[in-house]
Amino acid sequence: MLRYILRRLWSLLLVWAVTVTVTFFAMRMVPGDPITVMLSDQSGNADLAERLRAQYGLDRPLLYQLFDYLAGIASGTFGLSYRFVGYSVINVIAGGLAITPILALVSFLVALPIGVVLGVSAAVRAGGWLDAVITIALVASISIPSFALAAVLVWVFSIKLELLPVAGWGSVEQAILPIIVLVVAPTAVIARLARTYMLEVLDCDYVRTARAKGVRESLVIYRHAMRNTLVPLLTSVGIIFGALLSGAFIVETVFNIPGLGRIAVESILARDYPVTMTIVLLFTAFYTLINFAVDLLYGIVDPRVRLTGDAS
């Protein structure tokens, strides 16, 4: 187990290193640079632009700039922001660190039980009217873009009914609409997976044997089938949580939430390379660490899985 954990941690470090490198060069391929954006209203002042590029080290070779950013990571500050003069990257994103992960976690904790209940209910009544209704609703939920759903919810609950705030962050009321938008798609994905896994389990021999022995249907479903449905569903938790983090880019921008997603969008537009790269690295770290934890947990909840030093 220890060898497996160390091997996985080493692979995580390699993934993070590749993420930093690819993001660094990808940002430099975007037309314009921080100074061009900063002096958009002073495009004729070439001398000032050159001085600022020298001040921020943007006139140095790309490899030196990459090493400067890596040094910022090692220091824990992640370098200095180009957009906010005198502020380190960690100072710029500190507020978002307390918002985006919590928003994603709450949304996941809401989506998981709802999705499992819907999926299991559809599987138990496969081929019936309830299965058809749930399946249609799930397909519709996955098909609706997040920004379109957000616009509809704002129009109905904020403008027409005046029940909830249009945007902002800081109160329970302001969190309701963003959470609903984030929850819809993951709930549909979880429900479809739960339905598929449940149908497979219900077709297993031990379930048919339990029914033949006269075990009550509720016990067959919730004691025998449910557990073996949740085990394979666990492998999808990391992917679903990663999708929630990615959805934060849209939701936080639409609802004006000062989280990592909105900060990333603003930093990309401002060509604030260090801030953008740090947020991408954080999202990658969240995603990979969650999947790592899921892999370890999978070996605990499923006794058929054994992690050894030879595990890949």
Side-chain angles (χ1 to χ4, degrees):
M1 173 68 81
L2 180 59
R3 287 180 59 189
Y4 172 78
I5 293 176
L6 292 176
R7 186 181 303 175
R8 287 298 305 274
L9 290 176
W10 172 247
S11 67
L12 292 183
L13 291 175
L14 291 178
V15 170
W16 297 343
V18 171
T19 299
V20 170
T21 304
V22 172
T23 307
F24 175 86
F25 288 103
M27 288 295 298
R28 266 62 179 184
M29 294 173 64
V30 177
D33 63 14
I35 307 307
T36 303
V37 176
M38 188 185 305
L39 301 179
S40 57
D41 56 345
Q42 304 180 44
S43 56
N45 199 333
D47 292 338
L48 177 59
E50 291 303 319
R51 289 199 301 271
L52 288 174
R53 286 191 177 91
Q55 177 181 336
Y56 287 107
L58 294 173
D59 59 340
R60 305 179 68 193
L62 289 181
L63 286 180
Y64 284 97
Q65 295 182 43
L66 177 59
F67 292 148
D68 288 340
Y69 179 69
L70 294 177
I73 294 178
S75 69
T77 64
F78 295 90
L80 294 176
S81 169
Y82 296 157
R83 182 180 172 211
F84 299 97
V85 180
Y87 285 85
S88 66
V89 172
I90 197 65
N91 292 140
V92 174
I93 67 174
L97 282 172
I99 295 176
T100 300
I102 294 177
L103 185 61
L105 179 60
V106 171
S107 300
F108 177 77
L109 293 177
V110 172
L112 181 60
I114 296 176
V116 170
V117 170
L118 290 175
V120 170
S121 300
V124 171
R125 295 165 179 79
W129 66 268
L130 182 59
D131 182 25
V133 170
I134 292 177
T135 301
I136 293 173
L138 297 181
V139 172
S141 300
I142 296 176
S143 303
I144 300 175
S146 297
F147 64 88
L149 178 60
V152 171
L153 292 177
V154 168
W155 183 78
V156 173
F157 292 100
S158 300
I159 298 177
K160 289 298 182 180
L161 300 179
E162 298 183 353
L163 295 176
L164 297 171
V166 174
W169 186 258
S171 66
V172 175
E173 291 80 6
Q174 290 174 319
I176 292 176
L177 291 183
I179 289 177
I180 291 176
V181 174
L182 281 176
V183 160
V184 169
T187 298
V189 173
I190 293 172
R192 295 195 61 166
L193 291 173
R195 180 184 182 277
T196 300
Y197 296 143
M198 192 65 171
L199 288 174
E200 293 177 357
V201 171
L202 290 176
D203 195 42
C204 290
D205 292 337
Y206 68 88
V207 173
R208 289 197 293 267
T209 302
R211 284 172 170 167
K213 290 181 177 181
V215 178
R216 284 184 301 172
E217 186 67 14
S218 59
L219 291 179
V220 172
I221 297 300
Y222 297 107
R223 179 175 296 179
H224 297 280
M226 179 70 79
R227 180 178 179 181
N228 291 314
T229 298
L230 295 178
V231 170
L233 186 62
L234 180 64
T235 60
S236 305
V237 167
I239 298 174
I240 295 170
F241 197 85
L244 283 171
L245 289 172
S246 301
F249 280 81
I250 297 175
V251 171
E252 290 177 359
T253 302
V254 172
F255 290 100
N256 196 30
I257 299 174
L260 293 177
R262 197 190 76 176
I263 295 173
V265 172
E266 294 174 348
S267 299
I268 292 172
L269 295 176
R271 308 296 190 274
D272 195 343
Y273 300 151
V275 173
T276 303
M277 292 169 57
T278 299
I279 293 177
V280 172
L281 178 59
L282 285 175
F283 274 58
T284 303
F286 291 151
Y287 181 78
T288 53
L289 288 174
I290 289 170
N291 278 279
F292 176 54
V294 167
D295 288 344
L296 296 181
L297 185 60
Y298 191 77
I300 296 174
V301 299
D302 190 349
R304 295 170 296 181
V305 177
R306 293 292 183 268
L307 298 179
T308 67
D310 297 327
S312 57

